[in-house]
Structure formats: C-alpha cells, structure tokens
Amino acid sequence: EDQVTQSPEALRLQEGESSSLNCSYTVSGLRGLFWYRQDPGKGPEFLFTLYSAGEEKEKERLKATLTKKESFLHITAPKPEDSATYLCAVQGEPGNTGKLIFGQGTTLQVKP
Amino acid sequence: SQTIHQWPATLVQPVGSPLSLECTVEGTSNPNLYWYRQAAGRGLQLLFYSVGIGQISSEVPQNLSASRPQDRQFILSSKKLLLSDSGFYLCAWSPRGGTDTQYFGPGTRLTVL
C-alpha cells in the first residue's frame, strides 16, 4: 500500500535558523513527489514536483531533494512568513487516476 | 493564467440536509478535476476524480457524489449530510496530458451540526 510519512509533525525555528523537513514514502513505482505549502484556512499552494532520485529543485529559501525512499525540504535562513504547514504527496504507477497520497504535514513556526 | 474557484467558502448545515459545493476552473481546457477532503488533524483524502464531462470515479464509498456537467465545472453533492461529513473540501485540477501536478482551490469549510 502506498504510504507517506512526514516528520517532524511540528517544528519551531528562530528566524535565520536553517533546518530540514522529512518525507518518507513507500510507493509502487514513483511517478512524482510533490511539495505543497498550506496556510491556515487556505488551499495547498504548489511548491515543487520531483520525478527521480537525485533531483533537486529550489525556490527562494526552499530546496527540495529526492532519494529512492525519502524527500527533504531544506529551509535556509527562514523568515516568519515561511510559517505554514508543508505537505508532501506521492503519485505512484499507474498514474491514470492522478491520485495523490498525502502525508500528515509538518507545521513550521518561525519566530522573529 | 489558470484560476480555480470554489464556493461557498464556508457552510454550516444541519444533519440530514442536502449539500452542493461547486468548483470551476478558468484559463484551461479539458482539465482533470479532483475533490479532496481534509479532516481536522488528518491528511488530504481523495474523494472523486474526473477526466472528462460526465466521467466520475469514486475513491471512497460514502454518501457523497460528484458530477461534471461542463468541462470546467465540478460539483460535490449529498442528499443527506452526516456529522462525519464535516471538514475542509478542496477542489484541484491538473492539465490533461501535461504534468501530473495538481493545483488546489481555496477550499470550502463545511460544518455539519
């Protein structure tokens, strides 16, 4: 059964204190791994899609990496506006349904 | 650019009442459309997906149903709401034949009392 586990559940950082969020996955044939940011009461906002082990993508202070078993979302010198819940999802083969399997998310709080 | 709308934004309904949530997408044609539910403290769960008008697939058996009367319109319905239907309902779209990335709408907060 496809499964996604995110850790930690919650993370508190001081502004400027870099850290990483983990997403471990089990999927029968990875079609894609997705990172989203979700603010309270809002829909998830797309951040990155990763397709194969070794792939990396960056956006401002965020960098996502992918291995065969997990993905990391690295946050460099975070700011208070980076506070949000970060969701990881995977899509396995066959991909005709487009079904995403989501983790529970990591809630990040960045204090000034 | 593409935009996805959902309404209403919030809804409070009594148990046993009907439900209709609407989702529309602008700026694209023939999108794949999805309905997810996010319960408090839980991850997103796929409820329905559609690859075309009138084509609906259900992922989870329940008292909800979905319809796609137009290419860019997706509706989530129920004849009689249960307490357990409370949650945050999200509509998403992905391009047909393109990347598998799904883009989410702003969501509808449903409270069943």
Side-chain angles (χ1 to χ4, degrees):
Chain A
E1 181 182 345
D2 298 346
Q3 192 170 353
V4 176
T5 302
Q6 292 187 246
S7 62
E9 290 186 12
L11 182 62
R12 286 186 177 182
L13 299 174
Q14 288 296 129
E15 184 172 2
E17 180 186 3
S18 300
S19 187
S20 297
L21 312 182
N22 177 265
C23 171
S24 298
Y25 65 89
T26 303
V27 65
S28 54
L30 182 68
R31 187 176 172 91
L33 184 142
F34 307 85
W35 282 100
Y36 291 87
R37 169 194 169 126
Q38 186 174 25
D39 293 305
K42 303 286 183 67
E45 174 189 347
F46 169 70
L47 293 175
F48 305 108
T49 304
L50 302 169
Y51 293 103
S52 58
E55 190 174 1
E56 300 182 351
K57 289 191 176 176
E58 289 187 66
K59 179 181 180 180
E60 296 180 354
R61 296 177 292 282
L62 300 177
K63 179 180 177 180
T65 62
L66 180 65
T67 72
K68 289 186 178 181
K69 295 293 184 184
E70 57 190 350
S71 176
F72 291 94
L73 184 64
H74 307 278
I75 303 177
T76 303
K79 298 182 178 181
E81 53 262 42
D82 294 322
S83 298
T85 295
Y86 291 85
L87 301 172
C88 172
V90 297
Q91 187 179 65
E93 296 287 0
N96 54 305
T97 70
K99 180 178 181 177
L100 294 181
I101 305 297
F102 279 86
Q104 299 297 319
T106 294
T107 300
L108 172 65
Q109 183 181 27
V110 182
K111 294 193 169 183
Chain B
S1 64
Q2 298 84 17
T3 308
I4 180 168
H5 304 279
Q6 286 186 246
W7 64 88
T10 60
L11 192 60
V12 180
Q13 293 286 92
V15 170
S17 64
L19 173 73
S20 181
L21 303 181
E22 190 166 341
C23 169
T24 59
V25 181
E26 295 178 354
T28 188
S29 299
N30 304 314
N32 294 325
L33 296 173
Y34 310 87
W35 277 113
Y36 287 85
R37 177 168 60 202
Q38 188 174 34
R42 301 180 64 181
L44 276 74
Q45 181 185 40
L46 179 65
L47 301 175
F48 300 95
Y49 66 93
S50 172
V51 298
I53 296 174
Q55 301 178 60
I56 309 294
S57 297
S58 174
E59 284 292 308
V60 181
Q62 59 214 323
N63 69 319
L64 299 172
S65 62
S67 62
R68 186 170 177 174
Q70 300 181 40
D71 181 47
R72 292 170 290 174
Q73 183 184 32
F74 206 22
I75 297 172
L76 183 69
S77 304
S78 174
K79 292 182 179 179
K80 289 185 177 181
L81 284 169
L82 306 172
L83 286 174
S84 57
D85 291 324
S86 293
F88 193 44
Y89 287 83
L90 291 156
C91 181
W93 74 276
S94 66
R96 184 78 56 80
T99 68
D100 296 314
T101 301
Q102 294 179 21
Y103 302 91
F104 286 83
T108 295
R109 173 71 60 189
L110 172 65
T111 303
V112 182
L113 302 176

